[in-house]
Amino acid sequence: MSQAQINSTQVLCRLLEMDKPQIDGQTLFGQSSDAATHLIRERMLVLGSSNQWINCPECGVELARVVRDLSSDQILLMCPECVDVTAPRHYCTNHKVSLPKLVNNLASGLGLGSAGHKVIDHEQIWRLGTTQSGRAKPVTWYFARQLYKPEVAYRLREQIRLEKTTESSVVLTSTDLPLPAASPIEGFDVRFLGMTARISQSRFEFFDESASTATQVMAEATPTTTLKYVESQSCVWMDGERYELEPRQRLIIIALLEDLDHELDKDALQRKCGSQSQSFSPSKEFERNKSVYKRFIRYLRDDERYQLLIPLEDQTH
């Protein structure tokens, strides 16, 4: 592992923490020529707009105007102090981080296909995918930049909770650690990219070999309409949209699913749910989630009973 790989990863992390992850060529190559060359060669940086004025590389004080190209890699500058100055062409070109390339290389380093990752928040948060090593618990990987911002950390936390991966998630970040004590993501497994992996050829090399040798766990296709996840995830899917269930709602649905004889009346349903209310009513329990209440289940055995939905009141007379 070369020093250029180490330096380029550190430079990349610093760029990712900027609101606009881009840098002019003069500053980029001034920090580390080897790192800059490595980032450009791996296409982690792509060309942006060109500047017509740059700091004079001779005096370092005056602004010099770009006059013309001298060759494919040299330009002529006009400085008020130094007059004619020759400089590398890349000095006047801006370079910006290719975020799609970054995410693809992270996923590749983890052994994840491109189909496994998705954008959570535009240019801020990505879900890279899920891996599993042997019999260990599956791990869901995320990447976030500018994680020091409370709004970014909060958005990531809510996504992790939504996907119910709190106990099995790893967050890679370009933000220096540790995060502020009051960060919404405090307590999660957060790892600084610069100390976890290094830029290699079309991928990141991870120091933890188990991360890059684990088997990818393909995400399940988004359900359309199903009650399959009532017990395990406390939710139902209606026309491709997920609806979270309150505890009592979950108990009602489970009780109805378990009643294979189709003989569960309202009183029996109340006992199954453990409700002590004198005015127990399934419709009232679903008052705050009418879309679920209006399209409930037909009692069918095995997987079939998860597919057909009918109004709840038709089942609890």
Side-chain angles (χ1 to χ4, degrees):
M1 187 171 295
S2 68
Q3 188 64 40
Q5 287 179 292
I6 297 173
N7 293 343
S8 61
T9 307
Q10 298 294 332
V11 171
L12 177 65
C13 287
R14 289 198 295 270
L15 290 176
L16 287 167
E17 290 306 289
M18 301 168 61
D19 287 336
K20 291 185 177 181
Q22 66 178 29
I23 188 173
D24 65 88
Q26 187 175 14
T27 303
L28 174 65
F29 282 85
Q31 291 181 354
S32 174
S33 178
D34 287 345
T37 301
H38 191 70
L39 288 169
I40 293 172
R41 182 173 62 244
E42 292 302 323
R43 299 180 181 178
M44 299 301 296
L45 295 179
V46 295
L47 293 179
S49 59
S50 296
N51 298 321
Q52 294 304 310
W53 296 83
I54 66 173
N55 287 329
C56 177
E58 290 289 339
C59 65
V61 177
E62 300 290 344
L63 282 177
R65 179 173 60 86
V66 178
V67 178
R68 67 175 185 274
D69 294 340
L70 294 176
S71 65
S72 60
D73 58 357
Q74 293 288 312
I75 56 174
L76 177 65
L77 305 174
M78 175 61 69
C79 172
E81 182 66 27
C82 308
V83 193
D84 291 345
V85 178
T86 301
R89 181 181 178 82
H90 57 244
Y91 271 28
C92 69
T93 304
N94 290 310
H95 300 264
K96 57 184 180 180
V97 177
S98 173
L99 295 176
K101 183 68 172 178
L102 166 71
V103 174
N104 285 336
N105 283 10
L106 284 171
S108 178
L110 290 168
L112 298 167
S114 58
H117 59 73
K118 66 178 181 179
V119 178
I120 303 302
D121 201 328
H122 180 61
E123 296 191 347
Q124 292 286 359
I125 305 170
W126 294 261
R127 182 184 188 276
L128 300 175
T130 302
T131 61
Q132 185 170 20
S133 180
R135 297 183 178 181
K137 181 186 297 185
V139 176
T140 302
W141 297 83
Y142 300 86
F143 176 76
R145 68 186 193 93
Q146 296 188 311
L147 200 52
Y148 65 88
K149 294 183 176 181
E151 62 271 22
V152 177
Y154 177 80
R155 176 68 181 86
L156 174 58
R157 185 191 70 184
E158 292 306 299
Q159 182 66 31
I160 291 175
R161 288 183 174 178
L162 177 65
E163 297 182 352
K164 298 186 183 298
T165 57
T166 302
E167 302 299 326
S168 60
S169 63
V170 174
V171 179
L172 300 173
T173 183
S174 51
T175 304
D176 287 334
L177 301 178
L179 296 173
S183 173
I185 207 72
E186 181 186 12
F188 287 75
D189 187 349
V190 182
R191 305 177 189 179
F192 176 55
L193 181 61
M195 299 297 292
T196 305
R198 294 290 183 266
I199 298 172
S200 185
Q201 295 183 353
S202 300
R203 64 196 297 270
F204 278 83
E205 293 181 356
F206 284 81
F207 300 151
D208 182 0
E209 290 187 3
S210 64
S212 56
T213 58
T215 303
Q216 180 177 9
V217 179
M218 295 305 295
E220 186 173 1
T222 300
T224 53
T225 298
T226 181
L227 294 167
K228 181 179 179 180
Y229 303 99
V230 170
E231 188 166 8
S232 62
Q233 299 182 19
S234 192
C235 71
V236 297
W237 288 84
M238 302 287 181
D239 297 327
E241 186 173 355
R242 176 183 173 125
Y243 294 88
E244 300 294 333
L245 295 173
E246 297 176 5
R248 184 73 70 189
Q249 296 171 348
R250 176 177 176 271
L251 289 174
I252 290 175
I253 296 178
I254 291 175
L256 292 172
L257 289 174
E258 292 177 346
D259 178 43
L260 302 181
D261 295 329
H262 306 180
E263 296 179 354
L264 194 64
D265 59 19
K266 182 177 177 180
D267 292 336
L269 178 60
Q270 181 176 2
R271 289 193 298 271
K272 290 273 289 186
C273 296
S275 173
Q276 302 298 320
S277 174
Q278 295 183 356
S279 59
F280 174 78
S281 170
S283 62
K284 289 184 179 179
E285 294 293 345
F286 283 88
E287 188 67 28
R288 291 182 294 276
N289 210 341
K290 291 182 178 180
S291 55
V292 176
Y293 168 70
K294 291 179 179 179
R295 304 184 61 201
F296 210 29
I297 64 166
R298 184 185 304 277
Y299 294 152
L300 297 175
R301 291 180 181 273
D302 301 324
D303 291 343
E304 289 183 340
R305 62 193 173 121
Y306 294 125
Q307 305 304 319
L308 302 180
L309 306 178
I310 61 174
L312 177 61
E313 56 267 27
D314 291 349
Q315 295 291 338
T316 56
H317 287 320

